[in-house]
Amino acid sequence: MDKTGGCLCGAVRYRTTGDLRPVVYCHCGQCRRTGGHFGAFTSVAEGALALTEAGGLAWFESSPGVRRGFCRDCGSSLFWQRVGNGRISVAAGTLDDDSGLVAAGHIFAQDKGGYYAIDDGLPVFDESSGGVLPESGTAGG
Ligand SMILES: [Zn+2]
């Protein structure tokens, strides 16, 4: 099922083809800072994401070999990518229509904020899930 999404102002727009991976919630400090709360990322194969508007897209290298895509105009956080692994994580909240998308669990729970609880019954991991969840990196591959 193809999906579209984008940033708040429209200077970054994308289309995905094929199924979206279940959402992984990442509570690491980087996701919390860049998104203002914990991260919620689905992902697709790199070739399944087409940028239909990239005028605002900028990248920040948040760790060696890892980059986060955001809109330089409106500040929206959109993408997370371990460069070279063939996949790209997409912030679930940037989808126009998230119907059919489900959540898989929580990672890096040891870094979560103290102001909220993780109580949705999904699997919780202190760090990476070690392959239990469909993540392939610290923000859910
Ligand atoms: Zn924007």
Side-chain angles (χ1 to χ4, degrees), residues 34-125:
T34 192
H37 195 32
F38 58 81
F41 287 91
T42 180
S43 89
V44 293
E46 199 169 5
L49 178 86
L51 292 167
T52 53
E53 173 56 63
L57 183 59
W59 294 94
F60 173 72
E61 185 175 26
S62 53
S63 302
V66 173
R67 63 180 190 167
R68 292 170 185 267
F70 64 97
C71 178
R72 68 164 64 89
D73 292 339
C74 70
S76 298
S77 297
L78 294 123
F79 306 122
W80 181 99
Q81 185 174 40
R82 185 175 297 284
V83 177
N85 85 346
R87 295 196 62 84
I88 186 162
S89 294
V90 178
T94 65
L95 289 161
D96 296 330
D97 168 15
D98 66 6
S99 58
L101 196 59
V102 298
H106 302 264
I107 59 174
F108 290 91
Q110 67 182 11
D111 299 327
K112 84 170 193 65
Y115 60 91
Y116 61 89
I118 299 175
D119 57 3
D120 57 13
L122 293 171
V124 178
F125 299 88

Side-chain angles (χ1 to χ4, degrees), residues 7-12 71 73-74:
C7 70
L8 182 58
C9 76
V12 182
C71 178
D73 292 339
C74 70

